[in-house]
């Protein structure tokens, strides 16, 4: 077995050694000025580079064959040329011409990482998205990326889905669409179920693991995910896609676009419908969405309007399952179960989650010169919906309701149906100014966002009451959150091999909660946070095939809504978390083989974790722990077996620990909690 493994590894590393031809290139603009930082790739290989201070690039050790060379730079037309590679070195001079149309890439440039930045990241292009997109939610399209683990409530990847990166949950992963925050400002989570079949309108995705570069919205502790939609397609198109799968799963969508009209205008649209019964009992999903885009493309500007809408109705399946039940029933779902007056176990048909979300995004981008770009965006999100529950033998007093007199008896509890509502508005402005010339790549950007969230609950039916059908509101509260951030980024190339990176962000948050919660507690409170998030790193290009990098980043994150309202008021209110993220990486690229290894040490201060502690009403609370860390190694490799076949793989080995941990365990003999010191665990 060892000999087989040795032979296979030898094959991987030796294939690229056949044919030692080299490509030397020079990229110039129309005035014969060298272009620094142009992106150069040999398509259908792993070769990729940025031009140096003299506009030059080099690829060595290229096997003989015919290749396609692609060069791109914002504000210029892409250059694509077929080049034959033999045993002789090739010399290529490339002239880039100014584009008649400003490229869509300027919209997301300030929040994206480039190949010479000292960061661990993955890019997914439209072709790859289309291969993976069979109707499942976005987390399942991302599941093959390093350090990523996905989950699905219904078991099919449709409905409520989520993912973790480096062990951190969705509350700590920043998600933006065209540079605009998608995370809910209060929970800080992202609910993909609200935008079903969203991937059908996505052109490209970048995942930055760890803290990454400064972005807009929620603090990035595990990763940041940046999606871009509706890039220009110059030719008219129309598509009809249908997929079918197990558990009566169907996805149908229609996509069409006008192409570029009169070299100025474009219109695009998508309509989608996704249905599934789910693997878990009753965990059906009935999802629909549409998206519209209209854009004006000038020589030096873009004006674009995007409208996204999603509606979902899903049967709840988010509860845990006792282990002993899984031994005999893998599809068990206890939600919605109740016992009728005859003692028969039944399930409530409308134990569902219902939500509608609409997004409006308006962009204006301006090219002042080939080196200076401005991007402005206004956004507005409207969401409204509820989830409905059948509850057995609930006390009237817990809902602020009077007991019911029946004859000579006083009835204090009853079966009831309740709805918990969320009605929210989120709007704001994002901005970025990008400057790139010679050895400098500079960005200044940020955002000002405002959120209003109304939370309220209604009892819509009781089994015992003067009248069975009515609407009784038993709680109402609102959260108002203002989020301001500004960042400055600088990349500096003092020579042909070294790139230094500095990223400084200031973020200010004002958060007010006012009103009564579902347990009739007054949860009124006010919190203000001011964060400074510096990042710096160095990328060193050892040769055209090898590079290494190191970075240190600091991130701060405020507690989310549940952290604050579930905490026992007799205990200290949860404070913000701080993360120190150290990243050390190495990369190798040849025509047929690529390898990237990234070691990370994420050291936390005051990380919020579940310790088993409960508050004064018995609800679990998250508690700040003084010290904890995540230590890991990520390895990504790819092997080009032939022009039509490649094999890519990744692996993560990690160790995640809390220091000086104290666990809290319920003691049912004394109706209290016992504390158990476990040390490092």
């Amino acid at each position: 077995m060892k000999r087989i493994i040795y032979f296979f590894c030898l094959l991987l590393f030796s294939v690229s050694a056949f044919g030692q031809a080299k490509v030397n290139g020079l990229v110039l603009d129309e005035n014969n000025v060298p272009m620094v930082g142009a992106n150069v790739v040999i398509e259908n290989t792993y070769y990729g580079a940025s031009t140096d201070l003299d506009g030059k690039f080099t690829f060595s050790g290229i096997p003989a064959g015919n290749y396609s060379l692609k060069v791109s730079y914002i504000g210029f037309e892409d250059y694509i040329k077929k080049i034959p590679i033999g045993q002789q070195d090739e010399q290529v001079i490339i002239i880039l011409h100014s584009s008649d149309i400003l490229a869509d890439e300027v919209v997301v440039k300030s929040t994206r990482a480039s190949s010479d930045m000292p960061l661990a990241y993955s890019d997914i292009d439209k072709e790859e998205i289309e291969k993976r997109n069979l109707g499942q939610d976005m987390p399942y399209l991302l599941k093959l990326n390093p350090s990523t683990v996905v989950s699905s409530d219904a078991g099919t990847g449709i409905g409520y889905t989520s993912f973790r990166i480096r062990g951190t949950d969705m509350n700590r992963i920043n998600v933006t669409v065209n540079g605009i925050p998608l995370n809910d400002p209060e929970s800080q989570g992202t609910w993909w179920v609200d935008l079903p079949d969203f991937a059908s309108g996505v052109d490209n995705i970048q995942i930055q693991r760890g803290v990454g570069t400064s972005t807009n919205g929620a603090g990035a502790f595990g990763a940041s995910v940046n999606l871009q939609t509706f890039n220009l397609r110059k030719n008219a198109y129309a598509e009809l896609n249908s997929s079918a799968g197990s558990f009566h799963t169907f996805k149908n969508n229609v996509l069409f676009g006008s192409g570029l009209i009169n070299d100025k205008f474009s219109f695009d649209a998508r309509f989608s419908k996704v249905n599934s019964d789910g693997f878990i009992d009753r965990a059906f999903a009935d999802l629909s969405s549409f998206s519209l885009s209209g854009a004006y493309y000038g020589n030096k500007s873009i004006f674009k309007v995007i409208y996204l809408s999603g509606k979902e109705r899903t049967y709840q399946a988010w509860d845990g399952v006792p282990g002993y039940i899984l031994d005999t029933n893998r599809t068990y779902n206890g939600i919605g179960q109740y016992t009728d007056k005859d003692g028969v176990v039944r399930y409530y048909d409308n134990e569902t989650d219902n939500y509608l979300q609409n997004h409006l995004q308006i962009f204006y981008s301006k090219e002042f010169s080939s080196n200076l770009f401005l991007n402005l965006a206004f956004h507005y999100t409207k969401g409204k919906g509820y989830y409905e529950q059948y509850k057995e033998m609930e006390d009237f007093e817990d809902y602020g309701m009077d007991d019911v007199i029946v004859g000579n008896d006083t009835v204090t509890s009853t079966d009831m149906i309740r709805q918990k509502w969320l009605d929210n508005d989120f709007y704001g402005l994002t901005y970025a100014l990008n400057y790139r010339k010679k050895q400098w790549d500079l960005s200044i950007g940020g955002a000002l966002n405002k959120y209003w969230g109304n939370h309220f609950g209604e009892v819509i039916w009781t089994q015992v009451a003067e009248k069975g059908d009515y609407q009784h509101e038993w709680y109402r509260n609102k959260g108002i959150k203002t989020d301001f951030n500004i960042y400055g980024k600088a990349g500096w190339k003092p020579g042909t091999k070294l790139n230094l990176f500095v990223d400084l962000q200031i973020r200010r948050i004002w958060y007010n909660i006012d009103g009564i919660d579902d347990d009739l507690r007054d949860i009124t409170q006010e919190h203000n946070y001011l964060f400074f998030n510096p990042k710096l790193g160095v990328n060193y290009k050892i040769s055209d095939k090898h590079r290494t990098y190191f970075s240190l980043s600091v991130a701060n994150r405020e507690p989310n809504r549940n952290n604050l309202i579930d905490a026992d008021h007799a205990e200290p209110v949860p404070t913000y978390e701080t993360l120190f993220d150290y990243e050390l990486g190495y990369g190798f690229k040849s025509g047929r083989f690529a390898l990237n290894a990234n070691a990370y040490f994420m050291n936390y201060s005051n990380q919020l974790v579940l310790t088993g502690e409960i508050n004064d009403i018995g609800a679990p609370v998250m508690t700040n722990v003084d010290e904890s860390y995540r230590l890991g190694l990520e390895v990504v490799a790819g092997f080009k077996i032939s022009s039509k076949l490649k094999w890519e793989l990744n692996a993560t080995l990690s160790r995640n620990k809390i220091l000086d941990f104290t666990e809290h365990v319920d003691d049912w003999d004394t109706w209290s909690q016992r504390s158990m010191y476990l040390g490092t665990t």
Side-chain angles (χ1 to χ4, degrees):
M1 183 65 182
K2 290 182 178 179
R3 290 181 179 179
I4 294 174
I5 294 175
Y6 174 78
F7 174 78
F8 185 67
C9 292
L10 183 65
L11 177 66
L12 285 178
F13 285 97
S14 64
V15 167
S16 61
F18 291 99
Q20 296 298 315
K22 180 184 292 187
V23 175
N24 294 306
L26 174 63
V27 180
L28 307 171
D29 67 11
E30 295 160 300
N31 298 315
N32 291 325
V33 176
M35 301 197 68
V36 181
N39 188 46
V40 186
V41 297
I42 298 180
E43 295 185 324
N44 209 27
T45 74
Y46 290 108
Y47 283 115
S50 296
T51 54
D52 62 20
L53 295 177
D54 299 318
K56 295 179 180 179
F57 66 90
T58 299
F59 297 125
S60 60
I62 304 177
N66 294 312
Y67 296 90
S68 181
L69 184 70
K70 181 178 179 180
V71 184
S72 58
Y73 194 97
I74 290 180
F76 290 79
E77 294 282 356
D78 287 349
Y79 175 96
I80 300 176
K81 180 182 180 180
K82 297 287 185 181
I83 55 172
I85 302 294
Q87 298 300 315
Q88 302 298 320
D89 293 350
E90 291 287 332
Q91 306 290 328
V92 182
I93 297 178
I94 297 165
I95 306 296
L96 292 186
H97 297 276
S98 297
S99 174
D100 294 333
I101 299 173
L102 186 60
D104 288 287
E105 285 77 6
V106 69
V107 172
V108 295
K109 182 184 182 302
S110 65
T111 55
R112 288 283 177 102
S114 60
S115 60
D116 52 5
M117 284 187 179
L119 301 170
Y121 69 92
S122 303
D123 287 324
I124 307 173
D125 60 22
K126 188 174 183 62
E127 181 182 2
E128 187 66 27
I129 294 170
E130 290 175 345
K131 289 178 183 177
R132 302 182 189 181
N133 183 20
L134 298 175
Q136 293 175 305
D137 292 340
M138 186 62 70
Y140 275 70
L141 273 71
L142 305 180
K143 68 180 181 180
L144 297 180
N145 287 280
S147 303
T148 303
V149 177
V150 303
S151 64
S152 166
D153 285 358
T156 57
I158 296 172
Y160 270 92
T161 59
S162 62
F163 62 89
R164 291 173 176 262
I165 297 179
R166 292 187 177 176
T168 60
D169 60 26
M170 287 294 297
N171 294 337
R172 292 166 173 80
I173 296 174
N174 173 278
V175 181
T176 57
V177 177
N178 303 317
I180 292 172
L182 187 61
N183 299 69
D184 177 85
E186 282 197 298
S187 70
Q188 300 180 40
T190 302
W191 316 112
W192 301 101
V193 69
D194 298 335
L195 290 172
D197 197 30
F198 183 58
S200 292
V202 173
D203 282 274
N204 55 78
I205 305 170
Q206 184 176 91
I207 303 172
Q208 299 175 20
R209 301 187 298 280
V211 172
T213 64
S214 291
T215 185
N216 301 313
F221 264 41
S224 56
V225 180
N226 185 304
L227 305 100
Q228 187 173 17
T229 64
F230 287 117
N231 279 0
L232 174 64
R233 297 173 69 169
K234 292 186 177 181
N235 298 317
Y237 66 94
E239 298 178 16
L240 174 63
N241 301 287
S242 295
S243 302
S246 303
F247 315 110
H248 296 97
T249 300
F250 298 94
K251 183 200 85 166
N252 297 283
N253 68 23
V254 178
L255 302 91
F256 55 90
S258 65
L260 196 58
I261 302 173
N262 295 330
D263 294 329
K264 296 293 183 183
F265 302 95
S266 73
F267 301 92
D268 299 89
R270 172 187 59 85
F271 298 89
S272 300
K273 181 70 174 176
V274 183
N275 294 89
S276 177
D277 288 347
F279 170 74
I280 304 299
D281 294 340
R282 303 179 309 285
F284 68 80
D286 183 4
L287 316 174
S288 57
S289 67
F290 70 87
S291 54
L292 305 171
S293 173
Y296 167 82
Y297 290 90
N299 184 23
K300 301 294 183 181
S301 64
I302 301 174
F303 179 77
K304 179 181 288 189
V305 179
I306 296 175
Y307 187 82
L308 310 169
S309 180
K311 184 178 182 181
E312 61 94 1
R313 182 172 182 263
T314 56
Y315 198 96
Q316 297 165 33
W318 50 58
D319 273 5
V321 181
Y324 68 89
I325 292 179
L326 284 177
D327 292 337
T328 57
N329 185 359
R330 300 290 296 177
T331 65
Y332 175 80
N333 182 9
I335 294 182
Q337 178 178 301
Y338 71 97
T339 305
D340 68 12
K341 61 182 180 180
D342 298 321
V344 178
V345 175
R346 298 188 183 279
Y347 295 95
Y348 180 54
D349 290 337
N350 203 39
E351 194 91 359
T352 57
D353 185 79
N354 307 264
Y355 199 72
L356 172 67
Q357 192 171 85
N358 297 309
H359 300 255
L360 174 66
Q361 301 179 345
I362 302 174
F363 302 92
Y364 175 73
S365 300
K366 176 69 175 178
E367 177 187 348
F368 296 104
S369 70
S370 61
N371 303 312
L372 184 63
F373 301 87
L374 172 69
N375 187 65
L376 297 173
F378 169 79
H379 67 91
Y380 173 67
T381 300
K382 175 64 179 180
K384 188 172 184 179
Y386 66 92
Y387 64 92
E388 188 166 306
Q389 298 173 304
Y390 189 103
K391 305 293 289 185
E392 292 187 279
M393 298 307 293
E394 295 286 284
D395 293 338
F396 284 114
E397 67 174 343
D398 290 342
Y399 293 82
M401 302 166 67
D402 296 331
D403 294 338
V404 175
I405 307 298
V406 179
N408 295 324
D409 297 325
T410 300
V411 180
T412 61
S413 60
T414 182
D415 291 359
M416 62 175 58
I417 299 172
R418 70 184 193 184
Q419 294 177 344
K420 288 190 169 184
W421 282 83
L422 174 61
D423 183 359
N424 54 6
D425 299 89
F426 179 48
Y427 56 91
L429 178 72
T430 68
Y431 56 93
L433 185 66
N434 305 301
Y435 175 80
R436 183 165 67 176
K437 190 171 184 180
K438 293 186 178 180
Q439 65 263 52
W440 289 100
D441 192 349
L442 308 174
S443 295
I444 297 176
L448 176 62
N449 301 310
K450 186 84 171 185
Y451 173 87
W452 297 72
N454 290 301
H455 305 257
F456 60 96
E458 295 180 342
V459 177
I460 64 171
W461 175 87
T462 62
Q463 189 176 52
V464 180
E466 292 182 358
K467 57 178 182 177
D469 293 290
Y470 58 92
Q471 287 193 312
H472 167 75
E473 184 177 291
W474 92 88
Y475 76 91
R476 179 179 286 269
N477 61 77
K478 65 180 178 181
I480 302 174
K481 188 172 186 178
T482 304
D483 185 340
F484 167 80
N485 86 87
I486 185 170
Y487 58 78
K489 305 177 184 181
W492 179 48
K493 289 185 176 181
T496 59
K497 294 183 177 296
L498 191 65
N499 186 69
L500 304 177
F501 178 73
V502 177
D503 180 346
L504 306 176
Q505 182 193 51
I506 295 175
R507 184 167 176 244
R508 182 69 189 268
I509 299 128
W510 298 265
Y511 186 30
N512 296 303
I513 303 174
D514 181 30
I516 305 300
D517 201 20
D518 59 356
D519 55 12
L520 304 184
R521 285 183 304 140
D522 186 347
I523 57 172
T524 300
Q525 50 194 286
E526 180 179 343
H527 304 277
N528 297 318
Y529 305 94
L530 178 62
F531 298 139
F532 176 56
N533 302 316
K535 309 164 186 71
L536 55 91
V538 56
N539 182 83
Y540 184 73
K541 183 179 178 181
I542 302 171
S543 70
D544 63 295
K545 291 184 178 180
H546 303 267
R547 76 159 182 145
T548 186
Y549 62 84
F550 172 77
S551 67
L552 166 62
S553 305
V554 180
N556 293 276
R557 173 186 174 272
E558 72 277 16
N560 65 26
R561 171 186 162 86
N562 287 341
N563 298 151
L564 295 170
I565 67 174
D566 288 343
D568 189 340
H569 288 185
E571 298 292 334
V573 176
T575 188
Y576 63 90
E577 307 167 274
T578 301
L579 168 63
F580 297 86
D581 181 16
Y582 304 85
E583 308 269 342
L584 176 64
Y586 164 78
F588 169 83
K589 285 186 178 182
S590 68
R592 293 195 176 182
F593 182 69
L595 173 70
N596 285 281
N598 185 78
Y600 63 86
F601 177 60
M602 304 171 72
N603 193 31
Y604 294 84
S605 175
N606 292 323
Q607 184 179 189
L608 281 162
V609 301
L610 286 167
T611 66
E613 230 174 334
I614 58 176
N615 63 14
D616 53 0
I617 62 167
V621 298
M622 297 190 80
T623 305
N624 294 107
V625 294
D626 290 339
E627 293 183 79
S628 56
Y629 70 84
R630 301 179 191 274
L631 175 66
L633 174 66
E634 299 165 329
V635 179
V636 183
F639 179 53
K640 191 77 176 174
I641 299 171
S642 70
S643 61
K644 297 186 180 297
L645 182 64
K646 66 179 178 180
W647 179 39
E648 295 183 344
L649 62 152
N650 65 74
T652 301
L653 178 67
S654 65
R655 178 182 177 91
N656 311 287
K657 296 289 182 179
I658 298 174
L659 309 181
D660 297 324
F661 180 74
T662 299
E663 179 186 32
H664 300 271
V665 182
D666 292 335
D667 187 335
W668 295 105
D669 294 328
T670 62
W671 288 86
S672 63
Q673 284 199 309
R674 291 182 287 109
S675 298
M676 299 173 59
Y677 177 72
L678 301 182
T680 298
T681 187

